[in-house]
Amino acid sequence: MTPHLKDWLKGPLLSAVALVLYSVALGLFISLMLLVIAMEEGGDNISELSVPVTEAVVLLSQGAGFEIGSVRLTIVPLLLTVLLIGVVRSLALRLGCGWRAYLTGLASWLVLNLLLRQGVAFAFVDDLWLILAKCALVFSVGFALAALGRSPLTSLALDWYRGHVGAEARRTVRIGVLTAAVVALVYLVCGLVTVVVWAVLDWRAVAEVFAMSGMQTGSRVLTTVFCAIWLPNVCIWAVSWLFGGGFAIGELADFSLWVGQSADLPPVPVFGLFPAPVGNDAIRIALMIAPIALGLACGLAAMLAGRGFGIRAGSPDDGPDALRRILEFVRPALAFCLSGALLSVAFTLLFTVSNGSLGFDRLAHVGVDVMVSTRTVIRPIVLGLFMAWLLVAVAAATVYGVRWLMRRRAAAQAGPAQAGDDTVVISAVHDAAPHDAGVRGDAHGDTESRDTESRNVKSRDTEPRSGDAHDAVSRKRSRRVDSRRVEPRDAGAGDPAQRRDDGSRGDAPHDGGARRTPRRVDSRHAGTERADAPKREPADAGAPARRPRVAKSSPEATTIPRVVNPQPTNKEE
């Protein structure tokens, strides 16, 4: 047998096995229930209705309602629908079906359901084409859940998505879908818990309904289990009731947080579970704001978590990257919009498929008002999500502003201190006339020359070097350089003792030219001025030319010692 032929044959096998397993299991339970009811209640043998009732329930679980006398049942038992989809998916995964198996399986599925419809004596509400369309939808959903993970088309679509959509856009979509899924799951869990609470609080009302119907213990147990196939429907109605929407049993009963009244309801045991109104205002308010709190929590988690957007408050040190900051908040907003849209579509579908009818006229509509319930459930969630977005945006802007102000204040406080303590003041002072004694030439009658360079690192504990003459010159020159003390190094150069004192401090000896004194440069501004490239002021126009200094005449003159923040010392011979 060729592989293609096997693929074509897998479809009919899948459809037949799935429908047989589902129908047999359901038929056995229905037969048992009818048998127990007939034994306890007596009368005609109603076990003969097992086959038609089973066929009708199989079609009802796929959305095809039917009528029996004055009863018109179109409420889809969603629990059976989910079980049927699960059976189709499991078999498709086990058989490893492809698109050929899907085509033949879908055709076989429609044929089998058509045979079931022909065997039911009840009148169906929908036309034949609509019944077949609903059956095809159920089979397609189950098969797609199995095939999407293994299909080559899925791999191609994912590769195209990764290649044409950026990483940030994919993360935005992923977080939006994940947020919607988490919110929907929390809602459904809340609905299930609410139904359990109703059952605990109102079990006496259910017992009264059973007593009114005259059912014995076995009939009560099996009937209660059979009614559980509508448990997902009641949970969805409970979600609407819990957050302020409510639901109705036709025109006979309305249930909400404020109203819980009924009149002339049929003796159906599940109706005894429906709640009374909530009398405590605080509890009602808490239930109304619970979706807002849920949306706020999900939004904060999506924006601040490391696997989410991971938004953190910026710092002025990060640089003026305004576009990046804007995109950090645009992406969460888009993700929350996507979450709100997905939740709106999902709960609109859930509320729609959970509704139905139990009869005509006053029982023609059982369930929730789809538009009102969707608006009641989704609007607070969206409000909570965007409250989280706004809260994070305001907090980030506030922290950024505070950091910017603190940095500006620190810079303003450090400015004067740095100007007063750390600024290197380099000034060249040219003295046209000697102060204490003229600077004479050497023994050979060299021309008079004055070329002094003064460099001073201001320090709080700087003291003049020596002598009253130095003090006087320092005070005089401090007024000329913005109240900064400038220490002359050549004052008293004609005094041999003074020159000896200078030499003892490491100054270069007089060698026919101007003496050099060691520079004192602060380490933080060492790169501003080179220690070996001092500024020189031109000599007076009337002064004779200066004889160039020979570098080799004095080893001490070839290098300029570099002193970092020196402590002035006074040595005198």
Side-chain angles (χ1 to χ4, degrees):
M1 186 179 294
T2 61
H4 292 306
L5 182 59
K6 289 182 179 180
D7 291 338
W8 289 110
L9 294 177
K10 285 180 181 180
L13 179 62
L14 168 65
S15 300
V17 173
L19 200 56
V20 167
L21 289 176
Y22 175 75
S23 301
V24 168
L26 183 61
L28 290 176
F29 179 81
I30 291 176
S31 300
L32 177 62
M33 180 183 66
L34 295 177
L35 178 61
V36 171
I37 292 174
M39 292 173 61
E40 291 185 348
E41 305 301 328
D44 298 335
N45 187 9
I46 59 177
S47 299
E48 298 175 355
L49 300 176
S50 299
V51 174
V53 170
T54 300
E55 294 173 344
V57 173
V58 169
L59 293 174
L60 178 63
S61 63
Q62 300 181 74
F66 57 87
E67 299 176 357
I68 304 176
S70 61
V71 177
R72 185 179 185 180
L73 182 59
T74 60
I75 303 177
V76 179
L78 294 180
L79 183 60
L80 292 180
T81 304
V82 173
L83 291 176
L84 181 57
I85 292 174
V87 170
V88 174
R89 177 183 177 275
S90 299
L91 290 174
L93 286 174
R94 182 173 294 274
L95 295 176
C97 301
W99 62 272
R100 297 179 181 87
Y102 169 73
L103 294 178
T104 56
L106 179 61
S108 303
W109 186 268
L110 296 179
V111 170
L112 292 174
N113 281 279
L114 182 61
L115 294 176
L116 291 177
R117 183 185 181 278
Q118 297 299 326
V120 177
F122 309 144
F124 283 89
V125 177
D126 300 324
D127 296 332
L128 179 61
W129 69 269
L130 187 55
I131 295 175
L132 295 179
K134 292 178 179 180
C135 295
L137 179 62
V138 171
F139 179 82
S140 300
V141 171
F143 197 93
L145 291 176
L148 287 179
R150 300 183 177 184
S151 175
L153 295 178
T154 304
S155 302
L156 291 176
L158 290 177
D159 293 339
W160 181 90
Y161 176 70
R162 296 188 185 99
H164 291 78
V165 181
E168 293 297 331
R170 293 199 307 270
R171 185 174 69 164
T172 301
V173 173
R174 176 176 58 83
I175 295 175
V177 173
L178 183 61
T179 303
V182 170
V183 171
L185 181 61
V186 172
Y187 269 174
L188 294 178
V189 171
C190 290
L192 179 60
V193 173
T194 303
V195 173
V196 172
V197 173
W198 289 350
V200 172
L201 296 178
D202 299 328
W203 65 271
R204 291 184 178 86
V206 177
E208 291 178 1
V209 174
F210 279 124
M212 292 171 58
S213 303
M215 289 185 177
Q216 302 300 318
T217 303
S219 302
R220 293 182 182 186
V221 173
L222 293 176
T223 304
T224 303
V225 173
F226 183 77
C227 289
I229 64 177
W230 285 283
L231 179 62
N233 304 65
V234 180
C235 290
I236 295 172
W237 299 347
V239 171
S240 177
W241 177 88
L242 186 63
F243 302 120
F247 60 95
I249 307 299
E251 299 177 0
L252 302 179
D254 290 316
F255 300 95
S256 68
L257 294 177
W258 297 269
V259 178
Q261 60 183 6
S262 61
D264 299 331
L265 281 176
V268 179
V270 72
F271 289 165
L273 294 176
F274 294 153
V278 177
N280 193 328
D281 293 337
I283 296 177
R284 282 200 299 263
I285 294 174
L287 292 175
M288 294 291 292
I289 66 175
I292 300 177
L294 176 61
L296 181 63
C298 292
L300 290 176
M303 295 188 70
L304 301 179
R307 294 189 177 183
F309 293 102
I311 294 178
R312 298 293 183 267
S315 174
D317 297 331
D318 297 340
D321 195 353
L323 180 59
R324 183 175 62 87
R325 290 295 176 192
I326 293 174
L327 289 177
E328 282 185 354
F329 289 96
V330 170
R331 295 188 186 101
L334 294 176
F336 294 158
C337 290
L338 178 61
S339 300
L342 292 177
L343 287 172
S344 298
V345 173
F347 276 92
T348 299
L349 292 176
L350 287 176
F351 289 140
T352 301
V353 299
S354 66
N355 292 343
S357 63
L358 288 176
F360 302 91
D361 298 332
R362 294 189 299 173
L363 291 175
H365 176 75
V366 177
V368 301
D369 188 332
V370 175
M371 296 304 296
V372 173
S373 297
T374 303
R375 184 171 60 251
T376 302
V377 170
I378 302 303
R379 181 184 293 175
I381 282 291
V382 176
L383 180 60
L385 291 175
F386 283 97
M387 282 178 62
W389 182 87
L390 184 61
L391 182 62
V392 173
V394 171
T398 302
V399 173
Y400 184 89
V402 170
R403 289 177 178 176
W404 181 80
L405 290 176
M406 292 176 63
R407 181 185 178 188
R408 185 174 181 182
R409 182 179 179 182
Q413 291 178 352
Q418 183 178 3
D421 298 338
D422 301 331
T423 304
V424 178
V425 180
I426 303 175
S427 60
V429 181
H430 176 71
D431 294 337
H435 297 283
D436 300 336
V439 178
R440 307 300 182 186
D442 55 4
H444 301 284
D446 290 340
T447 60
E448 178 180 350
S449 174
R450 291 281 297 174
D451 185 9
T452 60
E453 298 175 357
S454 303
R455 293 176 176 86
N456 180 26
V457 179
K458 295 190 62 181
S459 178
R460 293 186 180 91
D461 54 353
T462 303
E463 298 178 356
R465 292 186 178 180
S466 64
D468 297 335
H470 289 78
D471 296 339
V473 174
S474 297
R475 287 192 298 270
K476 179 179 178 180
R477 292 177 182 175
S478 62
R479 292 191 294 270
R480 299 168 63 186
V481 290
D482 193 14
S483 301
R484 298 182 175 91
R485 295 192 300 274
V486 178
E487 300 175 2
R489 293 184 175 86
D490 289 337
D495 188 1
Q498 181 66 31
R499 285 206 297 268
R500 284 194 303 271
D501 182 62
D502 294 340
S504 64
R505 291 193 299 268
D507 294 343
H510 181 68
D511 191 53
R515 286 187 294 106
R516 286 184 174 273
T517 58
R519 288 187 63 187
R520 293 179 293 174
V521 182
D522 186 64
S523 60
R524 285 171 289 182
H525 300 277
T528 306
E529 291 289 337
R530 292 187 55 185
D532 56 346
K535 293 183 179 180
R536 294 182 179 275
E537 291 289 335
D540 292 342
R546 183 179 56 202
R547 187 174 62 183
R549 180 173 57 87
V550 180
K552 295 182 179 180
S553 61
S554 176
E556 297 180 357
T558 58
T559 60
I560 300 176
R562 182 174 180 179
V563 182
V564 179
N565 290 333
Q567 297 295 332
T569 59
N570 295 326
K571 293 184 179 180
E572 297 181 359
E573 281 189 32

